[in-house]
């Protein structure tokens, strides 16, 4: 069989030559041995991307447990799998094998393929992939995975991965050693992308892509601090948690990884983990480095943090990677370019150019989750794309990342109640690693990107105030400029919708047309500029006979003449008459010089509106804000000293065009 035919001469040499056959031996896991070994530094090879190493580097290259290193199936025959059945047969074989994966191998029903010792799984050229299946290594050793994709075992609707039948990992290791995962791609699995469990040891994960998943990469499930692993030059993107979560690792060396667009925490050490994090690049990651427990030691050095917030822990001395093996790391500033061009299967990084993407819970779409669909859009692309979401209730938190502008996300029908995006994170809820989720961690939908349009669907924060007590619980936070919501429902209680900006001096304009928004306390708030045109704004009944909440709470910067405009809208409620305030001024602690601004005009106000229309807040009188009304009608449209009115001349200067500053949203009449 010609290796040149399948891989090309260079790849064949890189993958198969120079690896001395070494038999696998079952052995108990002794105390860690930190013998040094040599590791070739990462280099570039012309336009082929990073040079493929002949041997694994890092901990997978070291001797231990009866092996001199990791060689996979080098001592055995070469076979080719073109079906899942063949892959299962070869993977379970007792003999060493080099198993070429040729084409798309898709399982009709998810299967986790048992793997015996001394195996190499190598993708053949571009397009080699295993679909709706994963690999399971239990008490085995000497296994290599290279050059193919493992994808799409996600169970639509089970974003949390809590269903009892959902153990759909890409790779699961239990008490296994000497495993090398290199130039692979893992995306959209039902559970974890790789679960490294139960005292597995001598591992290297290098040059992989881990993408479009909730739970990415967990390590641990053991009380023992045994695992030694090297994690380098991986691209972790559009994930939420476990990026990695390193529990009780004896030595985890994490360098030159690129973490991009991560919804929750980044790298985490837990229990007695010893972790060295160096030369990594974090962008748009909340809590990028967390030492969760008192026994955790994390060395945090030479990392770059871009558009991040939260914890960047640096505690203890952990260990010295150079005492185990030689390595040369790239400068952190170069990591995004190096990793994004070189990680993943060779010749298999074509950018997605499709402009129409479909999401469905019944398997008829391109993806089963909205967040996965957003992740399929290449970061940095400015091409206009439309994501159509078919009817159903999608339980997930969704981020439209700042590096994915010009997206339209729309329900498949004209009825926004048919498509519901729902989650239940309260801002006051406790993170399991300390602190609270806060405002930025609470929204079900966060729109970071400019020129985003959302239409004909519902976004809900389903946090149960009655059962769990009051808390901020945002349905939507918009941050990007020129964001449009059309025919969208926003459901929540306190702080349902936050019109935000990327910073105090940034401008962010949002246009909301024919939307329905409900809540009770300050449920339209923030420092952004927002025009609510033809909307129904519904105040929930809190059961009070005197105070059933506040509608707007702007925190407009003092240099911005335009905050909130409610026009041609209807304000409704089932609350007792006269018990809802139009709003109050929010002088946020981060911006004591704010000058809150809101205008309600040409709208119908129900009888729930208070005779004293505006309220004080946090020691500030409502008169310190810029509040006004104009030509409203209905039983709540009072004209008195508590309802300041614009003159006709003034009203002519405060129009949607003025608030939007020359931007004409699509669909605006």
């Amino acid at each position: 069989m010609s290796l040149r035919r399948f891989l090309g001469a260079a790849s064949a040499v890189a993958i198969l030559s120079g690896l001395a056959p070494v038999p696998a031996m079952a052995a108990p896991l002794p105390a860690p041995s930190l013998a040094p070994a040599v590791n070739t530094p990462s280099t570039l090879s012309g336009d082929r991307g990073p040079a493929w190493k002949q041997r694994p580097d890092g901990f997978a290259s070291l001797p231990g447990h009866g092996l001199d290193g990791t060689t996979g199936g080098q001592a055995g025959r070469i076979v080719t799998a073109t079906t899942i059945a063949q892959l299962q047969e070869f993977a379970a074989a007792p003999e060493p094998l080099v198993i070429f994966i040729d084409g798309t191998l898709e399982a009709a029903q998810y299967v986790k393929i048992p793997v015996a010792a001394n195996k190499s799984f190598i993708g053949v050229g571009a397009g080699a992939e295993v679909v709706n299946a994963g690999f399971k290594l239990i008490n085995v050793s000497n296994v290599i995975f290279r050059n193919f994709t493992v994808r799409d075992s996600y169970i639509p609707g089970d974003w949390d991965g809590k269903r009892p039948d959902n153990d759909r990992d890409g790779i699961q290791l239990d008490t296994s050693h000497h495993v090398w995962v290199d130039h692979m791609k893992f995306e959209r699995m039902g559970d974890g992308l790789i679960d490294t469990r139960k005292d597995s040891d001598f591992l290297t994960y290098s040059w992989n892509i881990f993408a479009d998943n909730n739970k990415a990469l967990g390590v641990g499930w053991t009380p023992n601090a045994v695992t030694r692993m090297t994690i380098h030059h991986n691209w972790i993107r559009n994930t939420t948690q476990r990026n990695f979560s390193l529990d009780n690792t004896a030595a985890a060396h994490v360098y030159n990884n690129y973490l991009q667009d991560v919804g929750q925490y980044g790298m985490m050490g837990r229990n007695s983990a010893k972790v060295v994090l160096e030369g990594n690049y974090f962008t748009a990651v909340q809590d990028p480095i967390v030492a969760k427990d008192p026994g955790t030691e994390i060395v945090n050095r030479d990392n770059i943090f871009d558009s991040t917030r939260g914890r960047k822990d640096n505690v203890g001395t952990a260990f010295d990677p150079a005492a185990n093996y030689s390595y040369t790391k790239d400068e952190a500033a170069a990591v995004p370019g190096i990793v994004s061009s070189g990680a993943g299967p060779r010749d298999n990084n074509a950018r997605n150019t499709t402009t129409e993407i479909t999401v469905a819970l019944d398997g008829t779409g391109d993806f089963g989750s909205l967040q996965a669909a957003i992740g399929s859009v290449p970061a940095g692309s400015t091409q206009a794309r439309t994501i159509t979401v078919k009817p159903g209730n999608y339980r997930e938190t969704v981020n439209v990342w700042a590096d994915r502008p010009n997206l339209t996300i729309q329900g498949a029908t004209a009825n926004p109640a048919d498509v519901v995006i729902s989650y239940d994170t309260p801002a006051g809820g406790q993170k399991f690693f300390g602190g609270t989720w806060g405002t930025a961690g609470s929204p079900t939908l966060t729109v970071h990107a400019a020129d985003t349009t959302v239409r004909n669907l519902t976004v809900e924060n389903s946090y149960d105030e009655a059962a769990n007590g009051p808390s901020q619980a945002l349905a939507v936070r918009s941050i990007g400029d020129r964001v449009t919501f059309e025919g969208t429902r926003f459901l929540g209680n306190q702080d349902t919708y936050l019109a935000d900006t990327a910073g105090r001096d940034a401008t962010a304009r949002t246009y909301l047309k024919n939307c329905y928004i409900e809540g009770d306390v300050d449920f339209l708030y923030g420092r952004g500029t927002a025009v609510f045109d033809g909307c129904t704004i519904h105040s929930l009944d809190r059961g009070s006979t005197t105070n059933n909440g506040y509608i707007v709470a702007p925190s407009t910067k003092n240099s911005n003449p335009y905050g909130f405009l409610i026009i041609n809208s209807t304000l409704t409620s089932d609350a007792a008459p006269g018990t809802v305030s139009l709003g109050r001024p929010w002088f946020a602690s981060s911006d004591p010089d704010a000058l809150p601004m809101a205008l309600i005009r040409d709208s119908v106000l129900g009888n729930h509106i208070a005779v004293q229309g505006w309220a004080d807040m946090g020691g500030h009188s409502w008169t310190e804000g810029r509040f006004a009304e104009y030509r409203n009608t209905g039983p709540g449209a009072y004209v008195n000293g508590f309802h300041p009115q614009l003159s006709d001349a003034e009203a002519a200067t405060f129009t949607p065009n003025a608030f939007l500053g020359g931007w004409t949203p699509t669909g605006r009449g």
Side-chain angles (χ1 to χ4, degrees), residues 138-152:
I138 300 180
N139 195 28
V140 298
S141 60
N142 197 29
V143 180
I144 293 172
F145 297 91
R146 301 192 83 182
N147 199 49
F148 64 98
T149 295
V150 180
R151 66 171 176 86
D152 289 310

Side-chain angles (χ1 to χ4, degrees), residues 84-85 87-88 105-114 130-136 150 152-153 167-170 189:
I84 287 290
L87 184 60
Q88 289 177 285
L105 283 59
E106 182 168 2
Q109 302 294 328
Y110 175 80
V111 58
K112 189 174 286 185
I113 299 168
V130 173
V131 181
N132 198 31
F135 297 88
K136 188 170 188 175
V150 180
D152 289 310
S153 66
D167 192 24
R168 299 183 172 192
D169 304 313
M189 303 304 290

Side-chain angles (χ1 to χ4, degrees), residues 233-542:
H233 290 93
N234 298 288
W235 189 4
I236 304 171
R237 69 186 193 212
N238 194 42
T239 58
T240 301
Q241 55 183 315
R242 301 183 186 174
N243 303 288
F244 287 58
S245 174
L246 301 161
D247 187 0
N248 275 334
T249 52
H253 184 203
V254 184
Y255 71 94
N256 285 161
N257 298 283
Y258 180 27
L259 280 75
Q260 177 188 30
D261 298 338
V262 172
Q264 283 187 11
Y265 60 90
M267 293 285 178
M268 175 182 291
R270 305 175 68 166
N271 291 312
S272 297
K274 291 181 170 56
V275 183
V276 174
L277 286 162
E278 55 180 346
N280 302 287
Y281 196 105
F282 299 80
T283 184
V285 181
Q286 303 181 38
D287 294 307
I289 300 178
V290 176
K292 177 180 178 291
D293 299 305
T296 304
E297 296 184 29
I298 292 183
V299 173
N300 168 2
R301 65 187 178 215
D302 302 327
N303 299 295
I304 290 180
F305 304 96
D306 172 36
S307 302
T308 63
R309 66 178 186 87
R311 293 172 64 171
K312 304 178 181 70
D313 295 348
N314 187 7
V315 57
T317 58
F319 69 102
D320 180 10
N324 299 277
Y325 47 80
S326 297
Y327 67 99
T328 301
K329 69 178 188 293
D330 296 303
E331 293 295 326
V335 162
I338 292 172
V339 171
S340 63
S341 63
R346 296 184 75 163
D347 306 319
N348 195 24
N349 285 321
R351 291 168 67 87
N352 178 13
T353 59
T354 185
T355 59
E356 300 290 334
I357 303 166
T358 303
V359 179
L361 293 176
D362 61 3
T364 60
D366 300 305
F367 301 98
S369 84
L370 178 53
Q371 191 62 61
I374 292 168
S376 73
V377 175
S381 170
T382 59
Q383 181 178 10
R385 301 169 196 258
T386 298
I387 299 173
T388 299
V389 187
K390 292 188 176 183
N393 192 315
Y394 296 78
R395 176 176 165 78
E396 56 182 298
T397 60
V398 176
N399 286 277
V400 183
W401 301 111
D403 50 18
R404 291 163 175 83
N406 297 316
L407 282 186
T408 294
I409 300 170
Q410 62 184 14
T413 74
N415 183 357
D418 289 344
V419 176
V420 179
I421 314 298
S422 179
Y423 214 73
D424 57 359
T425 303
Q430 294 293 314
K431 299 178 182 177
F432 73 92
F433 50 89
T436 60
W437 291 114
T439 299
S442 170
T444 299
L445 169 65
T446 302
V447 180
H448 303 268
D451 298 300
T452 300
T453 297
V454 179
R455 66 165 64 101
N456 295 343
L457 52 77
T458 296
V459 185
E460 172 188 49
N461 191 314
S462 60
Y463 173 73
D464 190 340
E465 279 194 344
N468 300 303
S471 174
Q472 279 187 318
L474 282 68
V476 177
R477 178 189 180 207
S478 62
I479 304 167
D481 191 25
R482 301 183 303 274
V483 173
T484 300
F485 294 95
E486 182 180 355
T488 303
R489 294 198 309 162
F490 301 67
L491 306 182
N493 287 94
Q494 181 177 340
D495 297 357
T496 303
Y497 170 57
L498 170 56
D500 208 352
T501 69
R504 182 187 184 277
D505 296 322
T507 297
R509 294 161 290 176
T510 307
Y511 179 66
L512 301 96
K513 177 69 172 178
N514 297 336
C515 293
Y516 173 89
I517 309 167
E518 72 175 28
D520 47 34
V521 176
D522 305 331
F523 61 98
L524 308 176
Y525 80 111
R527 66 185 170 206
T529 296
V531 174
F532 303 84
D533 187 354
C535 295
T536 297
I537 298 170
H538 185 75
S539 296
L540 295 172
D541 183 5
R542 300 195 300 171

Side-chain angles (χ1 to χ4, degrees), residues 630 646-654:
Y630 177 71
L646 294 184
S647 68
D648 291 345
E650 290 170 331
T653 67
F654 288 96

Side-chain angles (χ1 to χ4, degrees), residues 6-341:
F6 287 103
L7 300 170
S11 294
V13 169
I15 292 173
L16 296 178
S17 69
L19 300 183
V22 180
M25 299 175 59
L29 300 181
S33 170
L34 303 181
V38 176
N39 171 27
T40 306
S42 64
T43 57
L44 297 179
S45 176
D47 62 358
R48 302 283 294 174
W52 280 43
K53 299 178 186 300
Q54 294 184 353
R55 287 178 173 269
D57 51 16
F59 278 110
S61 70
L62 300 185
H65 309 322
L67 296 181
D68 283 342
T70 305
T71 60
Q74 175 68 21
R77 297 182 296 124
I78 299 170
V79 295
T80 300
T82 59
T83 67
I84 287 290
Q86 290 175 335
L87 184 60
Q88 289 177 285
E89 177 186 353
F90 295 144
E95 61 178 308
L97 290 175
V98 174
I99 304 166
F100 287 163
I101 294 173
D102 188 0
T104 297
L105 283 59
E106 182 168 2
Q109 302 294 328
Y110 175 80
V111 58
K112 189 174 286 185
I113 299 168
V115 176
N118 307 313
K119 299 292 183 294
S120 294
F121 298 89
I122 300 172
V124 175
E129 56 184 2
V130 173
V131 181
N132 198 31
F135 297 88
K136 188 170 188 175
L137 285 63
I138 300 180
N139 195 28
V140 298
S141 60
N142 197 29
V143 180
I144 293 172
F145 297 91
R146 301 192 83 182
N147 199 49
F148 64 98
T149 295
V150 180
R151 66 171 176 86
D152 289 310
S153 66
Y154 177 72
I155 299 175
D158 191 29
W159 189 79
D160 288 320
K162 298 296 187 183
R163 271 179 40 169
D165 61 340
N166 189 357
D167 192 24
R168 299 183 172 192
D169 304 313
I171 299 177
Q172 183 186 88
L173 290 74
D174 283 5
T175 323
S176 296
H177 63 90
H178 287 93
V179 177
W180 183 25
V181 183
D182 180 67
H183 282 91
M184 295 283 291
K185 185 176 184 180
F186 298 85
E187 56 189 356
R188 300 183 298 273
M189 303 304 290
D191 197 16
L193 297 175
I194 300 181
D195 277 0
T196 306
R197 302 158 42 104
K198 299 181 181 178
D199 303 344
S200 294
D201 198 11
F202 289 112
L203 313 170
T204 296
Y205 301 158
S206 54
W207 295 104
N208 303 295
I209 297 173
F210 302 105
D212 304 341
N213 223 64
N214 179 0
K215 295 181 287 186
L217 300 145
V219 179
W221 290 272
T222 175
N224 305 311
V226 169
T227 300
R228 289 160 288 185
M229 62 191 311
T230 303
I231 302 164
H232 73 86
H233 290 93
N234 298 288
W235 189 4
I236 304 171
R237 69 186 193 212
N238 194 42
T239 58
T240 301
Q241 55 183 315
R242 301 183 186 174
N243 303 288
F244 287 58
S245 174
L246 301 161
D247 187 0
N248 275 334
T249 52
H253 184 203
V254 184
Y255 71 94
N256 285 161
N257 298 283
Y258 180 27
L259 280 75
Q260 177 188 30
D261 298 338
V262 172
Q264 283 187 11
Y265 60 90
M267 293 285 178
M268 175 182 291
R270 305 175 68 166
N271 291 312
S272 297
K274 291 181 170 56
V275 183
V276 174
L277 286 162
E278 55 180 346
N280 302 287
Y281 196 105
F282 299 80
T283 184
V285 181
Q286 303 181 38
D287 294 307
I289 300 178
V290 176
K292 177 180 178 291
D293 299 305
T296 304
E297 296 184 29
I298 292 183
V299 173
N300 168 2
R301 65 187 178 215
D302 302 327
N303 299 295
I304 290 180
F305 304 96
D306 172 36
S307 302
T308 63
R309 66 178 186 87
R311 293 172 64 171
K312 304 178 181 70
D313 295 348
N314 187 7
V315 57
T317 58
F319 69 102
D320 180 10
N324 299 277
Y325 47 80
S326 297
Y327 67 99
T328 301
K329 69 178 188 293
D330 296 303
E331 293 295 326
V335 162
I338 292 172
V339 171
S340 63
S341 63

